[in-house]
Structures are given as structure tokens and as C-alpha cells.
């Protein structure tokens, strides 16, 4: 590459990546060479989008709903999102507080860009979904790590949060149910966090994209339960609950002045979200809930199968996660070098998984497996892992 011909902005060096997409590309390469690969790396439901949602998109296209919409989304969709949030979180929300974007990820990016100046501090759980840290460092702000503890089912200690808070803290990121650990916040955690934040000038980014994937107890929403919704930005969307990852439809709910700033960023980058996709999202939010519940029930069965199988593999120990569709087994008894182990499993066993340390330093010694694949695939992956790990030679040191 002739680096001098097209010098790229130095700021790009501060942009991170997402290992799920990197490993997916490598796994696809191996598949192209004829290898059989079981995909446990990417976080997207393998189910089809519910029929009524697809029908709504088709009807919208037939009605020629194929032109620009306002940058923040159509009034109809923003109104339905406000109703959905009121129904599911018990907080009164106006359509003016809602911003629609092509996925939850652009809302997260735009919202961090709208809020952060260089040197501002953002507290981020560790491990975490990589996009938070990537955008925080990209804009020159400072990520502060909040360790998640396996011994607490991957929740953090309130004392650790208290220590991490400084006068420079501008944003606290919460994500429950959590990617990559599957951990969930309890109502008690939420009350404790709110107690610590009351009276402080800290905004919470509450990423609740997995709100429909809580298994053993009802989903506890920070947005709904903290009593601090006026200082919280709720992130949610259609990708996970309605198996709509490729449609690209996410939304944020936030105080109006922030919504206007986020809208300005959306307007300057993507202009708006596809009109017929917005129409389909209305069908998702207002239509029958059975398809979402059926997918959730299937995920629950898969979770139980996968966790039981992992715990039968010598050297692997896996907690039963309360939500999302990931497990985060501890493999440090086999090798602390989770990246080497993940590469070995892909190359030797044809099982694509992610090294926990790609989600933050506290993910070292863990793997992330997504169970968004069939029970047959999970059984086959477990058998392959068991036999490959029995032959594994750990790294020195
Ligand atoms: C925690 C979390 N937030 C946001 C997203 C992004 O969702 P979307 O596909 O709607 O952009 C993901 C996707 O994996 C995620 O895991």
C-alpha cells in the first residue's frame, strides 16, 4: 500500500473494530475452501423475520413509500416508539424524544459524538460491546473501565462504580441484558446505581437492545426503574427481538435537546432510515407478540443445552447467563490466551467463537459463544470442541 499517496486521518488510529465481523470474515474464507464451520461468533438471530413485518414492508413498497423521510424518522413511527417505550418501561415519552436510525449502533455513535468533548470520561463495563469504547476513543474522550465479575454473574460492584466516578465523568454506559456475558442488572442494582448518580451530572446510556431476551426473571429496565429517565438515553431497536439485523432499524429515546443534536448528526451522515423499513418497524412494534416470544423460548432451550454441554468439557466452566443470546465460559484453566484458543477452535475444530479479551481486558481467559444457531449445530459444536480441546497444547506462560 502506498501510504503517502492517500494519507488517512490520524483519528482513524483511535477507531476500534468488532471481532465478530473480523472472525466471521475468516470463517467465511475457510468455508469457501470447503471447510465445515459452525458459526457461534456473530450475534444475530438465525430466525426469519416474522411474516407480518415482511408483509408490511412489501405493502409499503407497493404503495411507493420509497422516498426520504424526516431525519429523525416518520411521525407515525416515532409516535409508535413512544407508545412502545411507555408500555414496556412505564415512562411517559413524547415522539420528539425519539430518534430513528439504521440500527442501534448509529444511534450509539451519534449520541456519543453529540455529547463528548476530548478528555471527558465515559465509564464502560469491561468486557463490553466494542462500539462504545471505539467511538469514545475516536472522539478523544477517555474510556474508564468498570470490571464485570464472574463471581457476581458478570455484574459490577457498586463500590467500583463509585470509585470510577470523577468530576470529569460525563456518561455511564449500561447494557442489560449484556453482550458479551449475558449478565443482567437486577432491580436492586438499578436502585443502587441510581442512588449513586442522583445529584451528579452524569448521563446514562442504557443499551436495552436485548430487553426481549431475559430468561429467568422479568427484564429490569434502567430507563424504567431508575427514576432518572430525564438523564438517561435509552437505546433499543428491532434487530434482535424481531430478527431484523439486516433491515437496519434502531432507535434512541433521549431528552429533546440531545435528540435534536443526534438528529443533526444523522441528517449529515445517512439523511434518514429507509421509509419502508420504518413502516415495517411499526408492524413489529404494534403487531402480534407471539413470534418474539417463540424465538425467546427457543433461545432459552438452546442456552440450557449449551451451558450444560460446556460444563461437561474438562477445563471449561460456564455460568448460566440471565439474558441476551451469549454465553461467556471461563477457559483460563485451559489457556489464559483466549485469542489463541479461539483461533485454534476455528482452525482445528471448525467452530467459530470469539476471544473474550476482544471485549476488554477483563474478558481475558473467556470465550464468547452466541447461541443464535440450531440445537443440532450447538450439539455438533460441543462435540467438536470437546475433542479438539482434549488435544490442545496451551501457550507457554
Ligand atoms: C449491546 C449491543 N448494542 C447494540 C447493537 C447494535 O444493534 P444494531 O444491529 O441494531 O445496530 C448490538 C449488536 O450486536 C449489541 O450487541
Amino acid at each position: 500500500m502506498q501510504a503517502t499517496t492517500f494519507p488517512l486521518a490520524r483519528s482513524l488510529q483511535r477507531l476500534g473494530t468488532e471481532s465478530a465481523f473480523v472472525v466471521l470474515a475468516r470463517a467465511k474464507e475457510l468455508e469457501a475452501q470447503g471447510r465445515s464451520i459452525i458459526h457461534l461468533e456473530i450475534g444475530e438471530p438465525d430466525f426469519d423475520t416474522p411474516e407480518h413485518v415482511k408483509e408490511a414492508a412489501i405493502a409499503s413498497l407497493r404503495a411507493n413509500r420509497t422516498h426520504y423521510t424526516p431525519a429523525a424518522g416518520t411521525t407515525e413511527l416515532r409516535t409508535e416508539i413512544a407508545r412502545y417505550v411507555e408500555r414496556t418501561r412505564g415512562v411517559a415519552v413524547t415522539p420528539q424524544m425519539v430518534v430513528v436510525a439504521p440500527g442501534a449502533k448509529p444511534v450509539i455513535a451519534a449520541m456519543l459524538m453529540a455529547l463528548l468533548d476530548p478528555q471527558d470520561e465515559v465509564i464502560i463495563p469491561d468486557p463490553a460491546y466494542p462500539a462504545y469504547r471505539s467511538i469514545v476513543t475516536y472522539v478523544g474522550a477517555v474510556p474508564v473501565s468498570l470490571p464485570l465479575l464472574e463471581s457476581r454473574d458478570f455484574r459490577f460492584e457498586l463500590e467500583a462504580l463509585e470509585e470510577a466516578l470523577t468530576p470529569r465523568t460525563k456518561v455511564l454506559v449500561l447494557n442489560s441484558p449484556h453482550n458479551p456475558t449475558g449478565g443482567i442488572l437486577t432491580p436492586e442494582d438499578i436502585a443502587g446505581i441510581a442512588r449513586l448518580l442522583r445529584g451528579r451530572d452524569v448521563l446514562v446510556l442504557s443499551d436495552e437492545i436485548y430487553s426481549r431476551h431475559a430468561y429467568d426473571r422479568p427484564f429490569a429496565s434502567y430507563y424504567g426503574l431508575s427514576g432518572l429517565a430525564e438523564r438517561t438515553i435509552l437505546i433499543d431497536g428491532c434487530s434482535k427481538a424481531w430478527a431484523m439485523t439486516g433491515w437496519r432499524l434502531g432507535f434512541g429515546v433521549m431528552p429533546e435537546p440531545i435528540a435534536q443534536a443526534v438528529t443533526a448528526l444523522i441528517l449529515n451522515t445517512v439523511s434518514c432510515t429507509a421509509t419502508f423499513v420504518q413502516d415495517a418497524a411499526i408492524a413489529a412494534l404494534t403487531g402480534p407478540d407471539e413470534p418474539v416470544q417463540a424465538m425467546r423460548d427457543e433461545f432459552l432451550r438452546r442456552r440450557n443445552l449449551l451451558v450444560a454441554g460446556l460444563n461437561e468439557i474438562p477445563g471449561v466452566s460456564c455460568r448460566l447467563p440471565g439474558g441476551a443470546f451469549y454465553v461467556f465460559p471461563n477457559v483460563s484453566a485451559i489457556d489464559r490466551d483466549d485469542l489463541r484458543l479461539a483461533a485454534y477452535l476455528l482452525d482445528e475444530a471448525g467452530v467459530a467463537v470469539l476471544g473474550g479479551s476482544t471485549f476488554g481486558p477483563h474478558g481475558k481467559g473467556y470465550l464468547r459463544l452466541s447461541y443464535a444457531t440450531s440445537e443440532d449445530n450447538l450439539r455438533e459444536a460441543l462435540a467438536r470442541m470437546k475433542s479438539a480441546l482434549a488435544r490442545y497444547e496451551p501457550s507457554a506462560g
Side-chain angles (χ1 to χ4, degrees):
M1 193 171 84
Q2 294 178 315
T4 48
T5 315
F6 299 107
L8 299 172
R10 275 191 292 275
S11 57
L12 273 182
Q13 291 166 7
R14 300 196 302 268
L15 198 61
T17 183
E18 193 172 330
S19 56
F21 286 95
V22 177
V23 174
L24 177 68
R26 167 89 184 118
K28 292 274 178 205
E29 255 173 48
L30 290 174
E31 264 174 340
Q33 294 163 18
R35 292 277 312 276
S36 146
I37 304 292
I38 300 179
H39 291 275
L40 306 184
E41 77 281 41
I42 196 85
E44 63 171 341
D46 54 322
F47 303 108
D48 294 331
T49 301
E51 283 306 312
H52 69 279
V53 178
K54 290 191 277 191
E55 288 305 328
I58 292 164
S60 176
L61 282 168
R62 293 233 156 87
N64 295 307
R65 302 256 304 155
T66 53
H67 300 278
Y68 292 133
T69 74
T74 63
T75 304
E76 295 89 326
L77 176 56
R78 291 168 83 199
T79 303
E80 285 310 336
I81 290 170
R83 288 193 184 127
Y84 175 76
V85 170
E86 216 162 314
R87 221 166 44 241
T88 53
R89 278 38 174 222
V91 175
V93 163
T94 64
Q96 292 71 30
M97 293 163 67
V98 177
V99 182
V100 177
K105 201 186 232 175
V107 189
I108 295 169
M111 172 246 125
L112 290 171
M113 287 176 181
L115 289 172
L116 296 176
D117 282 315
Q119 306 310 321
D120 284 343
E121 291 178 4
V122 180
I123 301 176
I124 305 177
D126 178 3
Y129 177 55
Y132 312 129
R133 172 179 281 264
S134 175
I135 299 296
V136 166
T137 51
Y138 181 68
V139 299
V142 181
V144 176
S145 168
L146 180 60
L148 300 181
L149 305 178
E150 183 184 5
S151 57
R152 304 196 76 233
D153 288 318
F154 297 107
R155 290 143 58 230
F156 54 82
E157 281 177 333
L158 281 181
E159 296 75 32
L161 172 59
E162 192 165 14
E163 264 171 42
L165 286 163
T166 76
R168 302 194 92 108
T169 309
K170 192 134 181 205
V171 176
L172 163 66
V173 174
L174 298 175
N175 170 217
S176 176
H178 182 253
N179 176 9
T181 67
I184 51 167
L185 290 174
T186 65
E188 297 74 35
D189 291 328
I190 291 170
I193 298 165
R195 219 174 22 249
L196 276 182
L197 294 189
R198 208 156 273 131
R200 287 189 209 244
D201 239 357
V202 175
L203 278 158
V204 170
L205 185 175
S206 186
D207 184 344
E208 302 182 6
I209 190 94
Y210 296 101
S211 64
R212 303 305 307 275
H213 301 95
Y215 302 116
D216 306 314
R217 45 162 97 199
F219 165 62
S221 161
Y222 179 88
Y223 192 77
L225 297 177
S226 62
L228 294 174
E230 75 286 356
R231 280 197 275 133
T232 304
I233 294 164
L234 169 68
I235 302 288
D236 204 341
C238 292
S239 298
K240 313 287 178 175
W242 287 274
M244 290 174 69
T245 44
W247 294 68
R248 311 308 299 133
L249 193 297
F251 54 84
V253 180
M254 57 203 88
E256 258 185 69
I258 302 179
Q260 284 163 12
V262 169
T263 303
L265 284 160
I266 300 284
L267 185 149
N268 276 281
T269 48
V270 294
S271 291
C272 67
T273 305
T275 312
F276 52 92
V277 172
Q278 294 191 52
D279 288 345
I282 295 178
L285 295 172
T286 60
D289 203 45
E290 287 75 16
V292 177
Q293 288 169 26
M295 289 188 262
R296 179 204 158 277
D297 293 348
E298 178 63 31
F299 277 131
L300 172 60
R301 281 191 288 277
R302 294 172 179 181
R303 176 199 69 165
N304 294 344
L305 183 157
L306 184 58
V307 171
L310 285 169
N311 282 318
E312 281 172 16
I313 300 177
V316 178
S317 109
C318 186
R319 297 233 161 196
L320 191 68
F325 36 74
Y326 309 107
V327 296
F328 206 62
N330 186 331
V331 289
S332 57
I334 300 174
D335 196 342
R336 288 272 298 154
D337 188 346
D338 52 274
L339 297 180
R340 185 171 181 270
L341 198 54
Y344 172 82
L345 286 172
L346 179 57
D347 291 334
E348 297 299 318
V351 181
V353 301
L354 303 181
S357 58
T358 63
F359 296 92
H362 281 88
K364 192 169 174 62
Y366 297 85
L367 296 175
R368 189 195 82 167
L369 283 65
S370 155
Y371 48 90
T373 189
S374 69
E375 291 193 26
D376 283 349
N377 277 344
L378 291 176
R379 280 197 195 89
E380 173 66 17
L382 284 165
R384 289 189 192 185
M385 284 175 69
K386 192 169 186 175
S387 95
L389 288 175
R391 289 179 272 119
Y392 181 74
E393 290 185 13
S395 47

